[in-house]
Amino acid sequence: MSSTAGQVIRCKAAVAWEAGKPLVVEEVELAPPQAMEVRLKILFTSLCHTDVYFWEAKGQTPLFPRIFGHEAGGIVESVGEGVTDLKPGDHVLPVFTGECGDCRHCKSEESNMCDLLRINTDRGVMLNDGKTRFSINGQPIYHFVGTSTFSEYTVVHVGCVAKINPAAPLDKVCVLSCGISTGLGATLNVAKPTKGSTVAIFGLGAVGLAAAEGARIAGASRIIGVDLNSKRFEEAKNFGCTEFVNPKDHDKPVQEVLAEMTNGGVDRSVECTGSINAMISAFECVHDGWGVAVLVGVPNKDDAFKTHPMNLLNERTLKGTFFGNYKPRSDLPSVVEKYMNKELELEKFITHEVPFSEINTAFEYMLRGEGLRCIIRMDA
């Protein structure tokens, strides 16, 4: 065990004291892990849109002060009672959703939506005792999606930690703990395009480009990127996109444009925007008889999906996915191996890097729409 096992650790964390205000890097106290928890030393973390969305406190109950962050790579510092499959020194990816191994979802080969550990954005405390592990002078600092990786150390439920190959560079594979795996898995695990097929990707942000990368890995012959921002098209070529459509350039629904381009419709589509109109277009653009559309983006709470039932009766399939249908502990290690085997390219997703002291710069990049993923080096 490490020399700090069982003790309170003082470490630096980027604390969000109120919505939309710059994070403050300051010293926090982190309690040791309790039963079925592990304490991690975070080496690299990256910023995802979900962090920004909840930092801005849009559309949900605000909870502050809070430590955000959920895409990261680190090393196990110590483990709590009952933890048998992780030990200090293991290289890991903490994940915003989990795999308890015991519930119906975990025992199903079809689902990754663990009853115990699936994402909960409202909960700011640990499951074990309903309390936080972070504090400043006795004041609780709330957790975020069970990970809180904008801290030099964090405590996570063991079911939300994937043990990975120690040879994998954590500054690259850390991006696999959320958005990249979500897009990649939506294509490879859910849409499942065959070699030579035609795939449309709606939304060319990081998740959409990961979905395109999945189509490239699967051997799709045509990968059509659909986005309202034509500036994204050049970059998307690096992720396998062969053609592009901006719906604003046409005076007819984009699903009709795609049907004309593909002799009746694409074989597979993956929607990564959260726009209800894009979701409907993604479904209606697939070919009758065999077309499959997969929804990844999260809609607004009042949205309703409307399409004519004949679109389904004509043998089009509509599917949804959560975290690319990957079970975090069982499946993420093999995604890391795809990178190690050079099947999957991650470097092209990483467009910026900043030291931990400049974490607010990462937020500025994202708010300006600059780049894809910004890596935050915790030791710098």
Side-chain angles (χ1 to χ4, degrees):
M1 298 292 281
S2 72
S3 60
T4 48
Q7 301 174 22
V8 171
I9 286 179
R10 292 179 181 273
C11 65
K12 286 182 180 170
V15 181
W17 286 98
E18 52 185 306
K21 295 291 173 68
L23 307 187
V24 181
V25 177
E26 54 192 308
E27 188 176 87
V28 300
E29 294 182 342
L30 180 63
Q34 295 195 10
M36 302 310 289
E37 295 174 358
V38 294
R39 190 159 60 183
L40 310 178
K41 178 178 174 61
I42 299 297
L43 297 181
F44 301 94
T45 185
S46 60
L47 182 62
C48 168
H49 272 288
T50 308
D51 296 307
V52 176
Y53 181 83
F54 284 90
W55 166 73
E56 290 177 324
K58 289 183 173 174
Q60 82 288 333
T61 310
L63 189 62
F64 294 93
R66 201 171 205 183
I67 296 171
F68 288 100
H70 64 281
E71 280 190 358
I75 296 174
V76 175
E77 175 267 341
S78 60
V79 302
E81 181 188 339
V83 175
T84 56
D85 50 354
L86 288 171
K87 63 184 187 304
D90 283 345
H91 286 222
V92 295
L93 301 180
V95 187
F96 65 91
T97 186
E99 183 183 350
C100 73
D102 295 323
C103 70
R104 287 175 64 195
H105 286 276
C106 287
K107 289 180 175 175
S108 162
E109 291 184 4
E110 297 181 54
S111 176
N112 66 341
M113 300 187 72
C114 176
D115 278 330
L116 180 68
L117 299 170
R118 77 172 65 171
I119 185 171
N120 184 323
T121 56
D122 292 331
R123 187 173 60 232
V125 294
M126 299 301 288
L127 282 171
N128 187 300
D129 59 356
K131 296 179 181 176
T132 70
R133 301 289 171 264
F134 293 105
S135 62
I136 295 179
N137 299 325
Q139 178 185 3
I141 308 295
Y142 293 109
H143 297 250
F144 178 62
V145 296
T147 52
S148 292
T149 62
F150 294 165
S151 175
E152 292 175 325
Y153 289 85
T154 189
V155 171
V156 182
H157 191 286
V158 66
C160 299
V161 180
K163 180 181 174 181
I164 63 164
N165 183 344
L170 290 171
D171 60 333
K172 304 295 188 295
V173 298
C174 66
V175 299
L176 290 173
S177 57
C178 180
I180 309 308
S181 294
T182 296
L184 185 74
T187 303
L188 292 178
N189 298 337
V190 188
K192 297 180 180 176
T194 55
K195 195 172 169 63
S197 59
T198 301
V199 181
I201 307 291
F202 285 73
L204 298 175
V207 176
L209 291 174
E213 178 80 354
R216 180 190 70 77
I217 291 170
S221 60
R222 295 176 70 186
I223 305 172
I224 305 170
V226 181
D227 201 293
L228 295 169
N229 181 0
S230 298
K231 290 178 181 173
R232 290 177 158 179
F233 293 167
E234 193 59 38
E235 180 177 47
K237 292 177 183 175
N238 297 328
F239 298 83
C241 286
T242 56
E243 299 152 74
F244 303 95
V245 175
N246 186 332
K248 292 192 291 191
D249 294 343
H250 302 272
D251 54 8
K252 64 177 82 168
V254 70
Q255 51 267 50
E256 292 181 21
V257 176
L258 291 164
E260 289 173 7
M261 290 171 63
T262 56
N263 192 26
V266 298
D267 301 308
R268 300 288 187 268
S269 71
V270 184
E271 182 284 323
C272 304
T273 71
S275 155
I276 193 67
N277 290 328
M279 293 180 182
I280 294 166
S281 297
F283 174 55
E284 294 184 352
C285 80
V286 300
H287 206 290
D288 58 4
W290 61 80
V292 178
V294 178
L295 306 186
V296 179
V298 179
N300 293 323
K301 66 180 190 300
D302 297 327
D303 283 339
F305 188 97
K306 294 176 182 174
T307 191
H308 197 283
M310 283 307 299
N311 289 322
L312 287 156
L313 294 171
N314 286 336
E315 299 179 2
R316 293 177 181 87
T317 301
L318 179 63
K319 292 185 172 187
T321 178
F322 169 68
F323 192 49
N325 273 47
Y326 287 119
K327 291 179 186 278
R329 296 160 83 184
S330 302
D331 297 335
L332 271 192
S334 64
V335 183
V336 169
E337 292 310 310
K338 277 188 192 297
Y339 169 75
M340 297 299 283
N341 298 337
K342 298 187 164 46
E343 266 184 271
L344 168 64
E345 299 169 17
L346 292 177
E347 284 81 359
K348 59 194 178 186
F349 288 99
I350 298 166
T351 50
H352 298 91
E353 188 176 296
V354 297
F356 187 38
S357 59
E358 295 172 27
I359 188 171
N360 288 302
T361 304
F363 279 74
E364 290 165 17
Y365 286 140
M366 187 158 281
L367 290 168
R368 291 199 299 260
E370 290 181 21
L372 297 173
R373 279 294 184 267
C374 178
I375 300 294
I376 299 153
R377 301 184 69 92
M378 301 306 291
D379 60 352

